[in-house]
Amino acid sequence: LEAARTRDRLTRDAEAAAEQAGAAREEALAARQHWLDLKEQRLGGIAAELAAGLTDGAPCAVCGATEHPAPARRVAGHVDRGTEERALADVQHAEDRRAEADRRLAAVREELAAAGAGAGDAPAEQLARELDEAEREYARAREAASALHAAQEELRAAEREHELRTAAQRDAAVRAAARVGHRERLELERASLEQELAHARGDAPSVAERARQLEREAALLTDAADAARTAEEAARRLKDADARLADAAFRAGFATPRAAAEALLDDDAHRRLQRRLDAWQDEEAAVRAVLAEPETAAAAQQPATDLAAAQEAAEAADRAVREAASARDAAAQQPATDLAAAQE
């Protein structure tokens, strides 16, 4: 009777769990279909997603062009990466809820099978009436056999035997119910795996072919992203090179890099400047030699008629020497610098 009451309660629990599991499966299927639809929409609108980063005058991340006459536009309902990832997270949550609902249903069915094995198919009301009748018959039998000690002993032995066999029967029923529940759980898992396999396969003839399709798509997207990064890096390097070229031309005294390139000396002009520098250096050495002579040093010891004027003249001469040396060094380095800047 207790098993029948448990069976009736578990029957109601199993029906409720089955409804919840069905709803969870439908929710998981709807979430997966929604995610697949969003993924397909995003793949279809990936051009608009790339076009959103275009700026007039800036190179395209895909083709490198700086003019964008007809960039792709986002249509109504465009799906971005964040929307797709949220839909995938919803799929995973729905799958977790579906698996939990299936586990609860399997557990309730396993308990129901065990209770059904112990209670049989008889209704609880009938079993209650039979229990009352059995208790009355038992009481009458005990009363009738109260004077018969041997019969009582035999009855007790029979009762113990009955209890042992009843316990053995219950254990066997529980083991059988556990096997039935395990089999049903395996069947549910197999059905779930078959559904997941069908969704994973999609329109492809096999899961492996579907995986190869997705790998090819992923490879194409990866190549496109690498190409975009390469183009962006090349544009940045070109911009840096232009800035360095303009700075080098400005420091060299030219308004633009083109002016620096036009002012590049040929070999003949370079040799003429070198000869002039050599002549200036020879002249400087001769002057220094004269200044180092004892007569010149002795003359320098004589009182100066105008010390301030002589000091100014000496400073002017020293500045002229330094400027000539700086001009000589700059002139010697300028052609190589301008040539490197022009080549760069």
Side-chain angles (χ1 to χ4, degrees):
L1 176 59
E2 187 65 27
R5 290 171 177 167
T6 304
R7 175 201 63 196
D8 295 341
R9 177 179 58 79
L10 291 176
T11 298
R12 294 189 296 271
D13 294 345
E15 293 174 354
E19 293 179 358
Q20 294 177 359
R25 283 194 291 270
E26 292 178 358
E27 181 183 353
L29 290 176
R32 181 175 292 276
Q33 186 61 44
H34 179 63
W35 168 62
L36 292 175
D37 293 341
L38 291 179
K39 185 176 184 68
E40 184 176 358
Q41 292 178 17
R42 181 169 180 260
L43 290 176
I46 195 71
E49 196 169 313
L50 292 174
L54 295 177
T55 304
D56 291 338
C60 175
V62 177
C63 64
T66 57
E67 295 182 0
H68 318 294
R73 303 295 181 184
R74 292 191 178 186
V75 299
H78 174 73
V79 178
D80 55 11
R81 182 183 184 90
T83 303
E84 180 189 348
E85 291 178 348
R86 288 192 296 274
L88 179 58
D90 293 339
V91 171
Q92 294 172 349
H93 294 328
E95 288 293 340
D96 293 340
R97 291 191 294 272
R98 178 196 59 77
E100 180 61 25
D102 288 340
R103 285 192 293 271
R104 288 198 302 269
L105 177 59
V108 172
R109 285 180 173 175
E110 185 174 347
E111 293 179 2
L112 176 59
D121 298 331
E125 294 79 3
Q126 178 183 347
L127 292 175
R129 291 192 298 271
E130 293 177 356
L131 178 60
D132 292 340
E133 182 62 26
E135 288 177 346
R136 286 193 295 271
E137 291 179 1
Y138 177 71
R140 287 194 298 270
R142 287 183 61 87
E143 184 179 357
S146 60
L148 301 176
H149 180 71
Q152 290 176 349
E153 291 295 331
E154 185 178 356
L155 177 60
R156 282 192 291 271
E159 288 175 350
R160 287 192 296 271
E161 181 68 18
H162 174 69
E163 290 177 356
L164 292 175
R165 294 190 179 186
T166 301
Q169 182 184 9
R170 285 198 300 269
D171 292 340
V174 170
R175 290 194 297 272
R179 292 190 178 92
V180 171
H182 183 63
R183 182 186 66 186
E184 291 179 352
R185 186 165 59 254
L186 291 178
E187 289 177 352
L188 287 175
E189 291 180 359
R190 182 185 65 183
S192 177
L193 290 175
E194 288 177 351
Q195 290 179 356
E196 292 181 2
L197 179 63
H199 285 296
R201 186 172 59 243
D203 298 332
S206 64
V207 175
E209 180 61 27
R210 178 61 176 167
R212 285 193 290 271
Q213 291 177 0
L214 294 177
E215 287 175 356
R216 288 194 294 270
E217 293 177 2
L220 291 175
L221 291 176
T222 301
D223 294 341
D226 292 340
R229 286 193 294 271
T230 302
E232 183 179 357
E233 178 65 18
R236 185 187 61 77
R237 292 173 59 190
L238 177 60
K239 183 177 180 180
D240 293 342
D242 290 340
R244 291 197 303 271
L245 178 59
D247 183 65
F250 178 77
R251 285 188 284 101
F254 297 98
T256 61
R258 182 178 295 277
E262 293 175 352
L264 182 65
L265 296 176
D266 56 15
D267 293 340
D268 293 337
H270 184 271
R271 283 193 293 271
R272 287 195 299 272
L273 287 177
Q274 188 64 46
R275 284 194 296 271
R276 291 175 61 187
L277 287 174
D278 294 341
W280 290 343
Q281 290 173 354
D282 293 341
E283 183 178 356
E284 180 187 7
V287 171
R288 290 183 181 277
V290 172
L291 292 176
E293 292 177 355
E295 293 80 359
T296 305
Q301 300 297 325
Q302 299 298 324
T305 57
D306 188 352
L307 183 59
Q311 183 67 30
E312 291 178 357
E315 292 176 354
D318 187 59
R319 285 195 301 272
V321 170
R322 288 196 300 272
E323 290 174 357
S326 298
R328 177 198 61 196
D329 295 339
Q333 296 176 1
Q334 188 61 46
T337 303
D338 293 343
L339 179 59
Q343 289 175 348
E344 188 175 351

